[in-house]
Amino acid sequence: MATPGSLKLKQLLHEEATRLGFVAFGVVGIEAPLRREYYQKWLAEGQHGGMAWLERNNDRRLAPEKLLAAPAGEPVARSLVMVGLNYYQNEPARRYRIAKYALGRDYHNIMIKRLRRLAALLREHGGEARAYVDTGPVLEKPLAMQAGLGWQGKNTLLIHPKLGTWLLLGVVVTTLELPPDESGKDHCGTCTACIDVCPTRAITAPYQLDARRCLAYLLIEHHGPIPEEYRTAVGNRLFGCDDCLDVCPWNRWAQATRETALAAREYPDVREMLAWTEDEFRTQTQGTPLARLKLPRLKRNATVVLGNIGGTEDLPALMRAVLDEDPVVAEHAVWAIGQVRSRLAREPANQV
């Protein structure tokens, strides 16, 4: 039951979250439904691909009350404060694409500092608190739905009724009991736009995603070769894929982010990236999501992009990449050269 003190604290948290730049705010209790059976089946079938960390700490991931524990070990978490940061912006004009959330600085570094401010406010009021931004065993999307930030769409991503698909989610777990918000309601209706647009059919059914087929997973999380059956579907995507977000009709109300730190960073042409040294890679990507790739995976992705969109002027760079010390990069470069030459052969005036 909400008390005057808990209501006042929730209002203070909401005001502070707004001051910190969060555009969505809500509270959920630890008893929230989390699609547990689906998640466990999803793991058992290996649909998480190589993301082995999702197999760990599920005793806490599926039981939020265990996210905080007393010295004796008993679970003591009672509420989760959910917030969202708007990251929508137009993509810069260049011949390759980077997912919108990764155009600027790494949002983890931006959000965790602000979430710790909210955690500090909770401690000032006698509670323990811990902040997470994709860094702990937390199922953020179903929790955000239960906190009233929106609903999980058919592509499994959160949809905010006024901001669309463009929210970065953060959570603060606390021992304090705060008044929960009403759960978000599903408004996808009969729409299947996100399912229809997926280039690899990774959305296998409404509200179900096979990560092993998802281009965002293959280009970012997946180590090793990108399966050949998906390489042409990569198109000009260098990092991530926004297709199922872009087509959502709820984005008609999307607003450009005010977060200057998320503003798109300038990068050279994808062909030049193939010539980067380790030092150049670090200099160009430090503090951005692209740094997570490491240089070999960036080059792997770059060769696939050039295989799909490249022309005669890109062949020298690809030929040098064939000699790369990383065998995955070399193999993808060979594939890309074959794709470019095959495409050029269909254009008699540009044969090589």
Side-chain angles (χ1 to χ4, degrees):
M1 179 180 296
T3 65
S6 64
L7 286 168
K8 182 178 180 180
L9 175 56
K10 181 180 176 181
Q11 182 62 32
L12 287 173
L13 286 165
H14 194 173
E15 291 171 357
E16 180 67 3
T18 301
R19 190 187 69 78
L20 291 169
F22 294 115
V23 296
F25 174 93
V27 173
V28 59
I30 50 88
E31 71 285 349
L34 294 174
R35 297 184 73 195
R36 290 172 175 84
E37 290 185 9
Y38 168 72
Y39 182 75
Q40 290 171 324
K41 182 174 182 286
W42 184 74
L43 286 177
E45 294 177 352
Q47 294 189 56
H48 59 306
M51 295 182 286
W53 64 89
L54 294 174
E55 302 170 16
R56 300 190 290 267
N57 300 314
N58 282 321
D59 58 325
R60 290 185 289 157
R61 185 175 279 109
L62 298 175
E65 68 273 16
K66 297 181 181 179
L67 289 169
L68 289 176
E74 67 271 19
V76 293
R78 293 183 179 178
S79 303
L80 300 100
V81 178
M82 304 298 303
V83 296
L85 187 72
N86 177 28
Y87 70 96
Y88 178 74
Q89 62 182 298
N90 292 322
E91 296 175 50
R94 48 194 174 200
R95 63 172 182 157
Y96 59 91
R97 298 183 65 186
I98 294 173
K100 292 180 183 65
Y101 82 85
L103 289 171
R105 283 178 50 200
D106 192 330
Y107 71 89
H108 297 85
N109 300 333
I110 298 168
M111 292 181 69
I112 194 63
K113 295 177 183 177
R114 302 181 190 183
L115 289 170
R116 286 172 179 160
R117 299 278 290 276
L118 295 180
L121 183 57
L122 286 161
R123 293 191 190 98
E124 289 172 9
H125 286 78
E128 280 301 315
R130 182 178 300 159
Y132 294 104
V133 186
D134 298 340
T135 51
V138 182
L139 293 173
E140 293 94 347
K141 290 177 289 184
L143 286 169
M145 176 176 176
Q146 293 300 316
L149 272 64
W151 70 95
Q152 273 192 274
K154 292 180 181 178
N155 61 358
T156 77
L157 300 177
L158 190 83
I159 302 175
H160 188 281
K162 294 183 179 179
L163 297 167
T165 57
W166 313 108
L167 282 187
L168 300 166
L169 299 176
V171 58
V172 180
V173 187
T174 181
T175 56
L176 297 178
E177 191 164 354
L178 299 170
D181 287 280
E182 184 178 344
S183 174
K185 305 299 181 185
D186 191 322
H187 294 289
C188 284
T190 59
C191 178
T192 59
C194 59
I195 298 174
D196 299 337
V197 79
C198 181
T200 58
R201 298 296 179 259
I203 307 170
T204 55
Y207 313 104
Q208 298 184 30
L209 176 75
D210 188 339
R212 296 168 297 185
R213 302 173 63 91
C214 178
L215 293 181
Y217 165 76
L218 290 169
L219 290 169
I220 301 171
E221 306 293 349
H222 176 65
H223 295 254
I226 295 175
E228 282 199 41
E229 63 184 300
Y230 300 131
R231 292 183 191 177
T232 55
V234 168
N236 69 340
R237 300 171 186 85
L238 181 70
F239 185 98
C241 177
D242 280 339
D243 283 19
C244 70
L245 291 82
D246 285 328
V247 300
C248 181
W250 287 91
N251 285 327
R252 73 189 73 175
W253 294 289
Q255 304 167 24
T257 181
R258 297 180 180 180
E259 295 292 330
T260 57
L262 296 177
R265 177 175 292 203
E266 291 187 11
Y267 291 109
D269 186 75
V270 66
R271 180 173 64 237
E272 295 178 42
M273 293 180 182
L274 282 179
W276 275 355
T277 64
E278 288 285 355
D279 286 343
E280 287 171 326
F281 170 78
R282 283 192 292 270
T283 299
Q284 291 276 1
T285 66
Q286 186 175 17
T288 76
L290 269 66
R292 291 181 52 207
L293 286 180
K294 309 302 182 187
L295 182 58
R297 268 189 291 165
L298 179 74
K299 288 185 175 182
R300 177 201 65 183
N301 294 355
T303 60
V304 176
V305 168
L306 289 178
N308 289 325
I309 68 168
T312 305
E313 67 280 7
D314 298 305
L315 286 172
L318 287 169
M319 289 174 180
R320 287 190 292 271
V322 170
L323 304 176
D324 196 276
E325 61 183 17
D326 187 291
V328 172
V329 174
E331 183 270 317
H332 283 66
V334 171
W335 175 87
I337 290 169
Q339 293 294 110
V340 173
R341 285 179 168 164
S342 176
R343 189 163 53 251
L344 292 173
R346 297 192 295 271
E347 304 171 6
N350 297 312
Q351 284 188 12
V352 294

